Amino acid sequence: SVSFFAADGTSPSISVPPQKMGTTFFTPEEKFLYDSARLRILGEKNTKLVILAGKYSDSHDAKDLESLLGIIEGAGAKCLIIEQPPMLPFGDKNALIYCATIPWRQKTQKGNLILPLGESETWRRGMSVVHGAVKKFPTANILDIADLYLSDQQHIFLMENHIIQYIDDDHLSENGALKAKSRIKQKVLEILGS
């Protein structure tokens, strides 16, 4: 009753019709087949809800996202877009190793390590693109989760209460992801119940 489509470094948005354009992880043919399968599943099943999660800070326009939202709405499904977590400032590095290299005196007594936001403008711009697209589709919703990882509007927890929240600059650790679990569950139940 559930289908999962996830691929490293691949946006949840889809060109409609799918294009044969390669990515870092897909050949052009593989990407075409992957996108075609994602679209096909919407037409074959009585889909009630599509959940999208991705790195929207890479988005510069909403065309592909709007096309996908239109297809989801046309299939009679609702859509939940999970907000991209805020990004850490140190690039594509292992967060645990990064944390270990910082002198303990920079960490608070409570076991927190707070860093400035990384790529905050691209992160905000990407979420602005998503919000703009969602406004056009009444069946689409956005779930805000950034507040779970921010200590204030300009700073982010890498470690909170001695628990690492990220595995690198833009991927949550399992513990970091679990912080959003109840909020996601509540929103899914709210959408499916309506």
Side-chain angles (χ1 to χ4, degrees), residues 59-73:
S59 298
H60 300 296
D61 80 56
K63 184 174 68 80
D64 288 345
L65 179 58
E66 288 178 13
S67 293
L68 180 57
L69 292 175
I71 289 167
I72 291 168
E73 187 173 80

Side-chain angles (χ1 to χ4, degrees), residues 7 9 39-40 47 52 59 64 69 75 78 87 96 99 119 135 151 162 178 181 185 189:
L39 291 173
R40 187 182 68 247
T47 305
L52 304 176
S59 298
D64 288 345
L69 292 175
K78 296 182 180 179
M87 297 169 62
L96 185 58
C99 189
E119 297 185 40
K135 284 181 184 175
S151 67
H162 300 285
L178 287 172
K181 179 182 176 182
K185 180 179 180 180
L189 292 172

Side-chain angles (χ1 to χ4, degrees), residues 122-136:
T122 57
W123 173 68
R124 285 183 172 85
R125 187 171 48 248
M127 289 315 302
S128 176
V129 166
V130 172
H131 280 272
V134 165
K135 284 181 184 175
K136 299 177 181 180

Side-chain angles (χ1 to χ4, degrees), residues 92-168:
D92 194 17
K93 296 178 183 165
N94 182 293
L96 185 58
I97 293 171
Y98 179 85
C99 189
T101 64
I102 294 181
W104 184 251
R105 66 182 171 274
Q106 291 183 15
K107 299 171 186 143
T108 70
Q109 295 296 328
K110 295 180 181 177
N112 296 334
L113 178 56
I114 299 169
L115 300 174
L117 272 171
E119 297 185 40
S120 61
E121 288 309 309
T122 57
W123 173 68
R124 285 183 172 85
R125 187 171 48 248
M127 289 315 302
S128 176
V129 166
V130 172
H131 280 272
V134 165
K135 284 181 184 175
K136 299 177 181 180
F137 297 91
T139 57
N141 297 272
I142 297 174
L143 177 64
D144 297 323
I145 62 166
D147 63 295
L148 298 172
Y149 309 99
L150 294 171
S151 67
D152 60 43
Q153 290 300 310
Q154 296 300 319
H155 296 87
I156 184 172
F157 287 105
L158 167 53
M159 181 169 67
E160 187 176 18
N161 299 321
H162 300 285
I163 297 172
I164 302 291
Q165 304 298 312
Y166 285 74
I167 59 171
D168 61 21

